Amino acid sequence: MTIRVNGTEINEATINAEMDRARAAGHPEGEQLRDSAIQELILRNLMLAEAAKLDINVGNEEEIIGTLLQQEVEFAEVDEATCQAFYNDNSASFKQGEMAAASHILFTPGEGLAASLVKAKAEGILADLQQNPAAFAALAREHSACPSGKEGGALGEFGRGQMVPEFEQAVFSTEPGKITPELIETQFGYHIIQVTARNGGDLVSFDEVKERLQAYLTDMEGRKATHAYLANLVSAANIEGYQLPAFA
């Protein structure tokens, strides 16, 4: 079926060109690659159309989209009280010298804004694993985009500071033997994580982590605000031939 966004067609040649661009950027082959390309093109179309309505014309497409989001997506920097509350509620995540071992299944939805939208397949697999955790290694071998998938997703042992913050926080706040209850989003994509071992460490003071924690929580607020803005664009659009998974 032909894909149209507010009457504008997204043809196969355009999709293939976007897939080639993703491959050149290092994204792996697989069924997710085509979906990622289509999602990127749909969102790009919507944002460029919105920018045109607002008379934003500041250079190339990337600059136009960046200006649009900077102008239209509003969120506040997280304050110290919010950081303190997060620190208090997640004290197990702020230990020094703590070690863990974990396995993961990585889904790479592509670059750009499409990276925050492709969840449907990963959420389905997560739901299956919550019912049957013993299938983790087999599903990692089948679906993970990480080289560790060949080893059943096993990453071995690591300490604080060795993984990206979102991944680290999820691992060090999950009990050994458990699978994280939600997908974990990082710069690499979406992760399903199974923690296999943990040992304790010394609690780091709030003052030591305050600045990094504020930056992390503010970044999360920015992602939520961007997603909400895109959701509004999608809901107001007439999209034929494709349904964006995050807004299904």
Side-chain angles (χ1 to χ4, degrees):
M1 184 176 179
T2 301
I3 300 171
R4 290 188 175 87
V5 181
N6 292 329
T8 299
E9 182 179 345
I10 296 177
N11 58 36
E12 283 299 316
T14 305
I15 294 170
N16 288 334
E18 181 63 26
M19 289 173 67
D20 287 342
R21 189 172 71 87
R23 289 189 191 99
H27 296 284
E29 292 288 349
E31 61 184 78
Q32 294 184 63
L33 185 63
R34 179 179 171 81
D35 277 338
S36 298
I38 293 171
Q39 292 154 14
E40 180 75 15
L41 290 167
I42 289 172
L43 292 170
R44 183 175 295 272
N45 183 295
L46 291 174
M47 287 183 290
L48 290 174
E50 189 66 17
K53 289 179 186 177
L54 297 172
D55 199 28
I56 297 173
N57 186 11
V58 292
N60 61 34
E61 288 187 354
E62 295 299 328
E63 292 170 326
I64 290 171
I65 289 172
T67 300
L68 171 72
L69 295 176
Q70 185 176 30
Q71 176 178 307
E72 298 298 310
V73 177
E74 297 183 357
F75 63 97
E77 183 176 67
V78 172
D79 60 21
E80 184 171 331
T82 302
C83 294
Q84 181 73 65
F86 184 91
Y87 175 86
N88 294 342
D89 292 340
N90 298 275
S91 59
S93 299
F94 300 98
K95 289 186 176 180
Q96 195 170 46
E98 192 175 11
M99 300 293 291
S103 298
H104 79 145
I105 304 173
L106 173 64
F107 300 85
T108 54
E111 64 181 11
L113 292 158
S116 66
L117 301 175
V118 182
K119 292 184 178 179
K121 179 179 177 181
E123 287 180 335
I125 292 173
L126 175 59
D128 290 343
L129 284 170
Q130 288 168 340
Q131 297 298 316
N132 183 21
F136 195 99
L139 290 174
R141 292 187 190 97
E142 182 179 356
H143 296 289
S144 184
C146 178
S148 67
K150 296 177 182 178
E151 307 299 326
L155 296 170
E157 190 177 58
F158 51 88
R160 293 280 186 180
Q162 292 182 260
M163 299 293 182
V164 292
E166 302 91 339
F167 192 95
E168 177 181 293
Q169 182 199 340
V171 168
F172 286 103
S173 59
T174 301
E175 292 301 315
K178 300 293 186 181
I179 294 173
T180 51
E182 299 177 347
L183 296 178
I184 305 302
E185 182 186 358
T186 73
Q187 67 198 67
F188 303 108
Y190 290 106
H191 308 255
I192 299 172
I193 303 172
Q194 184 179 53
V195 178
T196 54
R198 275 180 53 197
N199 57 60
D202 299 323
L203 185 65
V204 179
S205 72
F206 175 67
D207 286 341
E208 290 179 83
V209 299
K210 179 171 62 177
E211 290 186 6
R212 282 181 294 151
L213 181 56
Q214 184 177 44
Y216 166 73
L217 293 177
T218 298
D219 180 64
M220 290 299 101
E221 287 301 309
R223 293 190 188 195
K224 290 177 186 176
T226 298
H227 182 84
Y229 177 74
L230 293 175
N232 287 334
L233 291 184
V234 169
S235 65
N238 180 20
I239 301 172
E240 303 172 70
Y242 192 85
Q243 189 171 49
L244 289 167
F247 307 119

